[in-house]
Amino acid sequence: MARGNFHKMHGLGNDFIIIDTRTSPVEMTTARARALADRKTGIGCDQLILLEPSDVATVRMRIFNQDGSEVESCGNATRCVVSLLGQDATIETDGGKIDGAYHENSITLQMPPPRFDWQDIPLAFAMDSAAMPMAWDELANPMAVNVGNPHAIFFVEDIDAIDLLNLGPQIEHDAAFPERVNVNVASVRDGALLLRVWERGVGETRACGTGACATAIAAIRQGKVASPVTVNQAGGSLTIGWEPGGLIEMTGGATYVFMGEVDWDDFG
């Protein structure tokens, strides 16, 4: 039997299985990640997080979506990892190194600067990433931003009027996005942002940290809001700060739920 421990945490309702492989080694495959993330027959989560040794940071973080695909970055998970470590920490991800400042009730992350060039999103061919000449029903001309992972941002009058369960997967899998894309629909209210996010490989989540960053950056670039800005999602609020050419700063909470033990072999 290959038994090991895991931590269950969430950032504003965006929930994670976190496995510290430095103390609980486990081989992770697409099938095993998908089985563990299943909410009916597994532990259940939006993303599964592996912590590994790093030569350049406090710890290396790997991220598996609910569908088993491995992705580059996750802001809510990074806050949870810093909270779990209980100290200021630098987190190595495939989307770049992230510095985390630990406080008992909130975590502040400093993330690499956003990228806007079409090939950095990446998009399938050259186009204006500030207003993509594309539309899916009522969602048109998104701004594309890479904040460690790719996002498309649409500003609308009423986020609840958007059929995100239908349009989200259409846009996620559109051929214009060779690595798929996270889909953000946002509205501006009283200097703050209201946001819904369809996460690639997961679906609509209660909160998305990188989605909040990408949307705040798009809104700041378009002059819709000033930095720092509050981004309100179903699971709660994040504060995002960004000045052109600078790092992205995100502040928000992280919640520890429980620790469990599992036989990895039960999940493939």
Side-chain angles (χ1 to χ4, degrees):
M1 297 178 69
R3 300 194 69 81
N5 295 324
F6 68 90
H7 306 274
K8 187 70 186 291
M9 299 187 71
H10 74 84
L12 308 185
N14 184 197
D15 64 328
F16 313 102
I17 299 167
I18 301 178
I19 305 167
D20 191 342
T21 67
R22 300 172 301 172
T23 57
S24 183
V26 57
E27 179 184 359
M28 192 55 58
T29 63
T30 296
R32 177 170 283 172
R34 189 165 52 238
L36 287 164
D38 190 289
R39 296 192 183 277
K40 293 183 179 179
T41 58
I43 298 168
C45 65
D46 289 327
Q47 282 94 10
L48 183 146
I49 309 300
L50 297 186
L51 302 184
E52 300 178 342
S54 172
D55 294 329
V56 297
T58 309
V59 68
R60 169 171 163 77
M61 180 174 80
R62 293 176 62 196
I63 307 151
F64 294 82
N65 278 336
Q66 198 176 78
D67 68 354
S69 59
E70 189 167 0
V71 293
E72 306 90 347
S73 187
C74 179
N76 285 332
T78 306
R79 292 200 319 279
C80 286
V81 168
V82 174
S83 180
L84 182 64
L85 294 173
Q87 63 182 52
D88 293 354
T90 301
I91 311 299
E92 178 190 358
T93 76
D94 286 345
K97 285 194 294 184
I98 300 173
D99 291 323
Y102 172 81
H103 305 284
E104 186 173 349
N105 296 317
S106 70
I107 306 297
T108 296
L109 303 181
Q110 284 199 325
M111 305 166 66
R115 292 176 290 166
F116 304 103
D117 291 343
W118 70 269
Q119 59 267 51
D120 291 331
I121 302 301
L123 302 176
F125 47 88
M127 70 177 81
D128 181 7
S129 66
M132 292 177 60
M134 303 183 70
W136 299 263
D137 292 346
E138 67 266 42
L139 295 180
N141 306 121
M143 177 180 286
V145 181
N146 189 307
V147 290
N149 55 7
H151 288 264
I153 303 99
F154 301 85
F155 291 101
V156 300
E157 283 299 315
D158 181 1
I159 62 173
D160 293 323
I162 302 301
D163 185 4
L164 197 57
L165 296 182
N166 177 46
L167 293 174
Q170 289 184 39
I171 301 169
E172 174 192 352
H173 293 280
D174 194 286
F177 305 103
E179 295 182 8
R180 298 187 290 169
V181 74
N182 300 285
V183 183
N184 305 262
V185 292
S187 298
V188 181
R189 292 289 186 275
D190 301 320
L193 294 170
L194 304 178
L195 176 64
R196 292 172 64 195
V197 182
W198 177 273
E199 290 198 52
R200 61 176 178 167
V202 180
E204 186 171 7
T205 56
R206 289 181 58 78
C208 177
T210 57
C213 291
T215 302
I217 289 162
I220 292 166
R221 284 193 87 195
Q222 294 181 10
K224 297 179 183 295
V225 299
S227 175
V229 61
T230 299
V231 182
N232 299 303
Q233 302 178 76
S237 301
L238 294 170
T239 301
I240 309 298
W242 176 73
E243 299 295 339
L247 301 176
I248 308 163
E249 187 168 278
M250 173 205 299
T251 300
T255 302
Y256 192 92
V257 184
F258 63 86
M259 182 174 72
E261 185 180 49
V262 66
D263 186 343
W264 306 121
D265 291 339
D266 289 341
F267 296 91

